Structure formats: structure tokens, C-alpha cells
Amino acid sequence: MATKPGVLTDWPWTPLGSFKYIVIAPWAVHSTYRFVTDDPEKRDLGYSLVFPFLLFRILHNQVWISLSRYYTSSGKRRIVDKGIDFNQVDRETNWDDQILFNGVLFYTGICLLPEAKQLPWWRTDGVLMAALIHAGPVEFLYYWLHKALHHHFLYSRYHSHHHSSIVTEPITSVIHPFAEHIAYFVLFAIPLLTTLLTKTASILSFAGYIIYIDFMNNMGHCNFELIPKRLFHLFPPLKFLCYTPSFHSLHHTQFRTNYSLFMPFYDYIYGTMDESTDTLYEKSLERGDDRVDVVHLTHLTTPESIYHLRIGLASFASYPFSYRWFMRLLWPFTSLSMIFTLFYARLFVAERNSFKKLNLQPWMIPRYNLQYLLKWRKDAINNMIEKAILEADKKGVKVLSLGLMNQGEELNRNGEVYIHKHPEVKVRLVDGSRLAAAVVINSVPKATTNVLMTGNLTKVAYTIASRSLAGKAFRSRLCA
């Protein structure tokens, strides 16, 4: 929320909560009905394709979100080191509001504007016109609109909401109050309306321009550098025509520099280019993986557990795992993810955490509970765990904890198999239960002589009892 929320801060459908998607439902149903019932020769493809295009935009954004979180969790090419807090996750859960808003306006425009009906698939002159208008008037007007939004009056009422996210994610690009989105839509509609009025518009020019805006917005906020140096070496003027994630990241950390939209030349012209832009760009490109002290090696559980990974849907992952009715609708994507994990046998960093001076990373083995129960998968899974241990040792990891079924007695005798096979490794190998027990035991005051534990007699509880007798001068008693 902005510091001093102004007029039209909230979205019109905010009171609807999760039912906000009904605002687009009548249009989607009507366009589908017309596509099925209209004469093929009179069918308006532009009207019929609006809803599928909205779904494509959501998928496009989600790909960027997952890619960004994958890279930033490992540290590779990361720009800003700070973590993302829960407030930002909650604030950015409504990133699809902008897509719904655009969808309603697209449908309305097609219904009200005769020029928007029966558009051809392609017109070269319309594409060139849209590109030139964007590079000229749109970029120029955005620069001054953006500077105006940084004036204390507008900033405190509107733009401060966007800048609450110091560490940006791709979806940060569309987190604005409703009034700001109205201004942005009017600005980006200039090339589209111009091509409509000059009768040079086409379906692909409209779709291409919106995809370009989405792509550049996501790239500029992804918090990892991905544009290689050689592009700027091969074509030096590109530095004036295309910004980098480092360029826009500085705007979120410095606030008074790098105002341009996607083409930085107005910052060069008006002297608002941050002097450290090139340095940060090169530093981010050269950055390797983070130093890791502790690794927790875990795995997927049920097929639906993949949605609870932070690299997926952050808002969904913030809730405790539970099966919900709408997850049945996601089964096509769930099945695809299961097939993907069959062929993509590499472990990956799920997220990163810091505790004082310790860097911790959960590493994920792309295998499910059911696969751990199959005897013929035992060797393959053990090989993946072994590779993870050797990689952790190579990176200088101090402790690796085997989580969930990675510590199975029948699978690898709680990790002893790897210790005997690789006695030279320096990484300390523990199972998750014993690590949790060690934390509890070490938190007990030294003067304690008796400890009583009640509740369910879990493996952790038994481990605490046995370890406390061996390593502490107090008695531990279990009570169900």
C-alpha cells in the first residue's frame, strides 16, 4: 500500500477476493459462443483470441517468475543480495489484476470501435508504425510521467506502493495502484489506437506489442543479469535502445536515477543515468554461485507438492500443504511436471536462507514419495543423493542434512552408505531428525538435570532422548 493512499488506489474488484475472475467470465463465454456459432467466413478471430491471449500472458509471467527465483536462489548473476519478505509476497499476489484489466478493455474496444473488428493477421506497415511510435512518443512521455510519479505528492499517494519492493521480482513490474495502471494503459494504447485509426493494425501487431511490454517489464525486474556483453560489443548503440535488469534495479535502490522505460537514451539526454550502471552490470554478470554453509537435501512428495515450491506460485506456497478442489483443474500441468522430472534428473536449489553468518540452501531432488518406495528406483535415487553430497563437498558445504525419505534405513542406512563409500569427503552428513534433535538438545540450559517430553513419540523425540543421555548430564523421559 502507498504511504498515503490516493484516489483509485484499490482495484474495482478488490472486494471480490478470489472471485475477481468473474469480471472476465461473461466476455470469455460470449467470445467462445460466437466462435462456435458464427459463420467461419464472418468469424472475428481477434475477438475470439482475447481470452487465450490473456492465459498466454499469465503463463509468460509465471515462466519469468520461476526462472528469476531459480537463478537468484543459487546466487548466480544475482543483482541485489537482500531477501524478499512476506509483506512483499502478500503485496504482489495480485499481479494478474493488470491482465484482467487489459482483457476487459480489449473486449470493450473491439465491441465499440469499428476499426478493431475483423483485423488481418499481419500488416508490416502497422508493425513498423507501432515500433516507431513506441520508440518516440511513448518512451518520451513515460520518462516524464515516471519523473512526475517521483514527486513527493504523487509518490506518497501512488508510486511508493511499487517502490516498496526494493528487491524486485518479475511481477513487481505490474504492482501499482489502479490509478497508475490507467495512466500506463493510456500511454501504451497510443501505438495501438494509431494503427487502428490509420487502418494498419493487425492481430499479430497488437499481440506482439503487448508481449514486448510484458517481456521487457519482466526482464527489467527479474533481479539477475542475463544480457551478455557481446551484444553490446557487436552493436554499441544497443545500450541506448535496451535497458538491462541492472539498469532498472538501480532505480529501485537509488530512486532518483534511471527513469527510462525500456530505452535508456532519455536518461543519457537529461543526465539522470546512474554512474554505477555499467559497473553493476559487469559485476552481476561475473557473479557465481553463493557460498553455502548448510544444505538440506529434500525431495518432492506428492505430485501437487510442486506448486508449493517457491519457484512456482509464491502466494500458494505460503500456505500449508492441503489438497483443494481447484487442484483437479491443474492436473494437465501437474502431469507435465511429472513427465518433466522423469527426464530432468538434476537436483536444483529450491530457495536460499540466511541466519546470521550462515548461508542455508534447500536442495531439491526431482523425485516423488512413490518413487522412493519402488525397489527398482533405489539405485537411481541413491546415485542422485551421492552426486548431491559430492557437489556439496566440492562447494565447501559444512553440513548436509538428509531430509524426508533421503535418510531411509532401507535406502542408504541413514546415510552411512555414502560415508563408507567416500571417507575423504569433508562435509558433515547428518539426517534431518538427528539435526533437529541436536538443535533442541543444544538449546537446553546447561544446568538442567531432568527433561520431560510429552506428545506423539516421533523419531525426533526418541533421538533427543537417546542423544541427551549420551551427550548431556541430564535424564530425559518420554511420556505419551
Side-chain angles (χ1 to χ4, degrees):
M1 188 65 70
T3 309
K4 301 176 181 178
V7 179
L8 294 178
T9 292
D10 291 330
W11 292 78
W13 45 75
T14 298
L16 295 176
S18 299
F19 296 98
K20 63 184 179 180
Y21 304 103
I22 64 174
V23 301
I24 205 74
W27 299 98
V29 172
H30 184 247
S31 64
T32 304
Y33 173 77
R34 284 189 52 180
F35 180 81
V36 174
T37 60
D38 283 358
D39 187 331
E41 295 182 358
K42 298 179 180 179
R43 187 179 292 159
D44 190 345
L45 290 177
Y47 186 72
S48 303
L49 290 174
V50 172
F51 183 66
F53 182 63
L54 300 182
L55 296 179
F56 172 80
R57 292 183 68 189
I58 291 175
L59 179 61
H60 179 206
N61 286 355
Q62 184 57 53
V63 169
W64 270 105
I65 294 167
S66 299
L67 187 66
S68 173
R69 290 171 183 164
Y70 173 78
Y71 272 96
T72 56
S73 60
S74 66
K76 188 178 296 182
R77 298 186 179 186
R78 190 170 65 239
I79 300 170
V80 180
D81 281 329
K82 294 180 180 179
I84 294 173
D85 58 29
F86 290 110
N87 290 331
Q88 180 172 340
V89 174
D90 293 339
R91 188 173 58 252
E92 295 182 348
T93 54
N94 66 335
W95 57 268
D96 52 353
D97 280 345
Q98 177 245 8
I99 296 177
L100 292 177
F101 177 54
N102 288 177
V104 172
L105 292 175
F106 291 154
Y107 277 124
T108 304
I110 293 174
C111 292
L112 298 181
L113 298 175
E115 296 86 356
K117 294 180 173 61
Q118 300 294 339
L119 292 178
W121 277 103
W122 175 265
R123 282 200 58 156
T124 304
D125 51 356
V127 173
L128 293 175
M129 183 180 293
L132 291 174
I133 293 173
H134 174 85
V138 172
E139 289 280 346
F140 176 77
L141 291 173
Y142 179 90
Y143 176 86
W144 290 107
L145 170 64
H146 197 179
K147 287 204 71 173
L149 288 170
H150 276 260
H151 184 275
H152 63 86
F153 181 85
L154 293 177
Y155 185 83
S156 61
R157 286 162 176 79
Y158 299 105
H159 203 51
S160 58
H161 180 71
H162 177 68
H163 274 277
S164 298
S165 301
I166 305 298
V167 184
T168 60
E169 288 202 291
I171 51 176
T172 305
S173 61
V174 293
I175 303 303
H176 302 281
F178 181 56
E180 259 192 78
H181 270 291
I182 295 174
Y184 295 143
F185 185 85
V186 170
L187 186 63
F188 295 137
I190 293 175
L192 303 178
L193 287 174
T194 303
T195 55
L196 279 178
L197 297 176
T198 57
K199 298 182 179 180
T200 59
S202 63
I203 292 175
L204 290 179
S205 69
F206 262 64
Y209 184 59
I210 301 300
I211 291 171
Y212 166 75
I213 292 172
D214 285 348
F215 180 89
M216 296 299 287
N217 262 332
N218 286 325
M219 184 187 75
H221 292 81
C222 68
N223 196 33
F224 74 96
E225 193 54 72
L226 73 164
I227 300 182
K229 277 186 184 180
R230 60 179 176 272
L231 284 180
F232 295 107
H233 290 158
L234 291 173
F235 187 63
L238 187 64
K239 68 182 297 184
F240 303 104
L241 302 176
C242 179
Y243 75 166
T244 64
S246 303
F247 171 93
H248 193 72
S249 179
L250 281 168
H251 175 71
H252 275 260
T253 55
Q254 305 302 320
F255 298 103
R256 299 294 181 183
T257 57
N258 297 6
Y259 291 103
S260 292
L261 180 55
F262 307 139
M263 301 178 177
F265 57 82
Y266 286 114
D267 281 300
Y268 283 101
I269 292 173
Y270 295 110
T272 52
M273 171 66 69
D274 196 293
E275 294 179 356
S276 62
T277 298
D278 292 339
T279 303
L280 181 62
Y281 166 73
E282 294 180 2
K283 181 181 176 182
S284 301
L285 273 181
E286 295 169 358
R287 182 167 184 162
D289 292 341
D290 276 347
R291 176 184 62 83
V292 188
D293 299 303
V294 179
V295 166
H296 181 63
L297 188 64
T298 184
H299 59 83
L300 298 167
T301 53
T302 64
E304 294 81 10
S305 65
I306 197 165
Y307 298 115
H308 283 264
L309 295 177
R310 190 179 169 274
I311 61 173
L313 307 172
S315 58
F316 191 80
S318 64
Y319 295 98
F321 178 78
S322 61
Y323 193 86
R324 306 179 189 182
W325 65 268
F326 59 81
M327 297 183 76
R328 296 181 184 275
L329 303 177
L330 297 174
W331 255 103
F333 301 102
T334 308
S335 302
L336 287 174
S337 70
M338 293 176 65
I339 295 172
F340 178 75
T341 57
L342 289 176
F343 297 97
Y344 187 82
R346 290 180 54 191
L347 62 91
F348 59 91
V349 180
E351 58 182 76
R352 65 187 180 95
N353 301 286
S354 296
F355 181 73
K356 295 183 178 180
K357 295 182 180 180
L358 289 176
N359 292 326
L360 305 92
Q361 288 183 352
W363 288 6
M364 185 73 64
I365 289 181
R367 292 294 180 265
Y368 299 90
N369 279 356
L370 178 62
Q371 292 168 301
Y372 279 79
L373 299 175
L374 301 174
K375 291 185 178 180
W376 61 277
R377 299 296 299 167
K378 176 181 175 181
D379 291 340
I381 291 174
N382 269 329
N383 287 337
M384 295 182 71
I385 298 174
E386 183 179 348
K387 288 180 181 179
I389 294 170
L390 295 177
E391 184 176 343
D393 187 63
K394 184 179 179 181
K395 290 186 175 183
V397 175
K398 298 175 183 177
V399 177
L400 187 144
S401 167
L402 297 174
L404 297 180
M405 299 178 77
N406 289 323
Q407 57 178 307
E409 177 69 30
E410 294 183 359
L411 183 68
N412 50 47
R413 298 200 303 275
N414 302 108
E416 290 184 14
V417 169
Y418 313 118
I419 295 175
H420 293 309
K421 187 175 181 180
H422 300 283
E424 74 284 356
V425 296
K426 298 179 180 178
V427 60
R428 179 75 177 271
L429 195 63
V430 300
D431 66 69
S433 299
R434 292 177 185 177
L435 186 62
V439 172
V440 174
I441 292 170
N442 287 321
S443 66
V444 176
K446 293 182 178 180
T448 304
T449 57
N450 287 277
V451 174
L452 175 66
M453 291 177 287
T454 63
N456 294 328
L457 304 183
T458 63
K459 182 179 178 181
V460 175
Y462 281 113
T463 305
I464 292 173
S466 61
R467 294 290 174 179
S468 63
L469 290 172
K472 287 275 188 178
F474 60 80
R475 291 184 301 160
S476 185
R477 188 156 58 93
L478 295 172
C479 183

